Amino acid sequence: MVTVAVSAGLLVLAACAPEDVAEVPKPVNLSQEASGYFCNMTILDHPGPKAQAFVKGNNTPFWFTSARDAIAFSILPESANAVAVVYMTDMGTVESWENTATGSWIKAEAAFYVIESSKRGGMGATEAVPFGTVEGAEGFQAEFGGKVVKYTEVPQSYVLDANQVSILEEK
């Protein structure tokens, strides 16, 4: 019975025409009420890039105190298939590392990231620092070290702990 219900549900989803698919939500402006998905802390109380992720069928974002945490969320087995879009702070548009509230949002897969730099993210951990241009990323890299990569090139081991990586490798 369960198999029939699941199969029927998949057939309904497969029958949806592209025009029936919901539009990808637009990024939301940061406010003092935004709290981190993993830490439940106020986003604006932390330095460095922020991120917001929308899951399919929901127009309320999950907030992240760091870009690195949002990348982790987007690849974890329990959330990866549900993610509709992830937006990152374009660090080339912010006032400073400490004040990113007015920065522009860019889609995660369109960003250039500086990993392994000397800068630490919102929770004091290593960060994947997103930029809307390769020139912005290279300028940051020249000042703080690290290397420039695209979204798909950020190593899983850089954003996940060893236990999470082994779970992904088993799938």
Side-chain angles (χ1 to χ4, degrees), residues 67-155:
R68 180 179 164 258
D69 286 352
I71 294 170
F73 177 81
S74 73
I75 63 174
L76 287 172
E78 59 270 12
S79 52
N81 291 330
V83 173
V85 65
V86 177
Y87 294 104
M88 304 287 186
T89 305
D90 178 351
M91 292 301 285
T93 66
V94 302
E95 184 178 304
S96 68
W97 187 259
E98 288 73 31
N99 184 2
T100 61
T102 58
S104 298
W105 295 103
I106 54 175
K107 286 186 177 179
E109 57 275 346
F112 296 89
Y113 297 87
V114 179
I115 61 171
E116 301 171 4
S117 77
S118 62
K119 284 296 219 178
R120 294 293 172 248
M123 297 301 288
T126 56
E127 183 59 281
V129 186
F131 289 87
T133 66
V134 70
E135 295 82 13
E138 289 170 343
F140 183 89
Q141 175 192 31
E143 187 171 351
F144 300 103
K147 64 182 178 180
V148 177
V149 297
K150 292 292 289 174
Y151 180 76
T152 57
E153 300 168 328
V154 176

